[in-house]
Amino acid sequence: MSLTIRQIDIYLQALVDNAKDLHRESEILFKKKAYARSYTLSHIAREEIAKCHILYAAGRRMIADVEVDWKKTMKRLRDHKSKLKQETVTNAAMLIMSGNEEDFDDIMNKAQASCDWRNNHKNNSLYVGISSDGKIVSPSTDIDKDIAQRNIELARFIIRDEIKFQSKVGKLENMEPTRLAGISSVDLMTEEQHKELLRKLAKSANRGD
């Protein structure tokens, strides 16, 4: 299955709208002290925003006339850990663009462990399970007030930033293809080349280019 640019634009807006609803409902559950289920909804809200980044990358490739692997893209949209990894990569990119390279390296080195931890928390917020040492783990004992509240706050920031981003860049269908020339080279970059690209983007943004 493939998407058109128009479909991606609609998809992006729908994801933001759903993330906002999930976040609002998460806050309602939190006020009712249903911390485990509150965590579930704020976690899913963050996953919805991560899907925006996956779709945006695919859309930019389409505009630049670069082939999109739609089978892989659709799989990433469905896979929970892929969405968590996408959010981690996006957050790390923002760090290096702000000049915080030390934290960028730290986040990337711990990316997989972080994704596994968050995905386990999401599952534990829904299901009764058993730990590696044989203890029965229930949602109400695994997710406490502090964990639920922190995730609500993170979801709020991520949704806010995505709304700002979409407002700034506008619709994909209105983008000029000539502005995205050479985008295919990004796929072949080393990690250090990716860093250098992010540094250049940060400098360009600071100059208002």
Side-chain angles (χ1 to χ4, degrees):
M1 179 184 180
S2 62
L3 301 174
T4 64
I5 292 295
R6 176 61 177 161
Q7 285 176 313
I8 292 177
D9 277 333
I10 295 172
Y11 203 157
L12 289 170
Q13 183 59 57
L15 286 169
V16 169
D17 290 343
N18 192 44
K20 289 165 61 179
D21 287 343
L22 287 163
H23 183 263
R24 177 178 55 80
E25 291 159 12
S26 175
E27 289 185 311
I28 292 172
L29 289 173
F30 184 85
K31 290 176 181 177
K32 296 293 185 180
K33 299 183 179 181
Y35 301 130
R37 303 301 188 259
S38 171
Y39 180 94
T40 306
L41 295 189
S42 59
H43 177 100
I44 296 173
R46 293 173 67 180
E47 286 194 12
E48 290 288 75
I49 297 301
K51 286 161 68 175
C52 289
H53 304 154
I54 295 170
L55 287 166
Y56 182 73
R60 284 181 66 96
R61 281 173 166 75
M62 291 174 67
I63 294 168
D65 199 26
V66 175
E67 184 178 358
V68 176
D69 186 337
W70 283 109
K71 183 177 181 180
K72 182 178 179 180
T73 298
M74 291 301 177
K75 182 179 179 180
R76 291 182 67 203
L77 290 171
R78 293 190 300 269
D79 184 76
H80 296 292
K81 289 187 178 181
S82 289
K83 288 178 279 189
L84 295 176
K85 185 176 181 180
Q86 178 62 54
E87 185 190 79
T88 300
V89 170
T90 300
N91 292 340
M94 294 303 294
L95 283 173
I96 199 170
M97 287 182 72
S98 66
N100 198 340
E101 293 191 30
E102 185 176 337
D103 284 350
F104 171 89
D105 291 331
D106 186 53
I107 285 179
M108 293 307 294
N109 289 335
K110 299 176 180 177
Q112 188 57 54
S114 174
C115 291
D116 290 342
W117 181 84
R118 288 168 55 198
N119 195 57
N120 288 339
H121 257 324
K122 185 260 305 208
N123 289 333
N124 292 344
S125 72
L126 284 169
Y127 310 111
V128 172
I130 186 166
S131 66
S132 57
D133 58 0
K135 291 183 180 178
I136 304 302
V137 181
S138 297
S140 60
T141 58
D142 189 73
I143 306 296
D144 60 21
K145 179 180 179 179
D146 290 340
I147 292 174
Q149 185 170 31
R150 174 169 170 74
N151 213 52
I152 287 174
E153 292 170 354
L154 288 171
R156 181 184 298 113
F157 292 139
I158 290 167
I159 293 168
R160 179 203 63 191
D161 288 348
E162 181 61 24
I163 291 172
K164 287 182 178 179
F165 175 78
Q166 289 193 21
S167 176
K168 184 175 182 179
V169 302
K171 299 290 186 182
L172 284 166
E173 64 182 351
N174 295 330
M175 284 189 177
E176 292 292 334
T178 54
R179 294 182 59 188
L180 304 176
I183 195 173
S184 59
S185 63
V186 174
D187 296 325
L188 304 176
M189 285 182 178
T190 64
E191 183 175 334
E192 186 53 43
Q193 287 172 325
H194 273 117
K195 287 184 182 180
E196 183 58 32
L197 175 61
L198 290 169
R199 293 187 194 105
K200 290 180 180 179
L201 288 172
K203 290 179 181 178
S204 176
N206 289 334
R207 291 195 306 264
D209 294 350

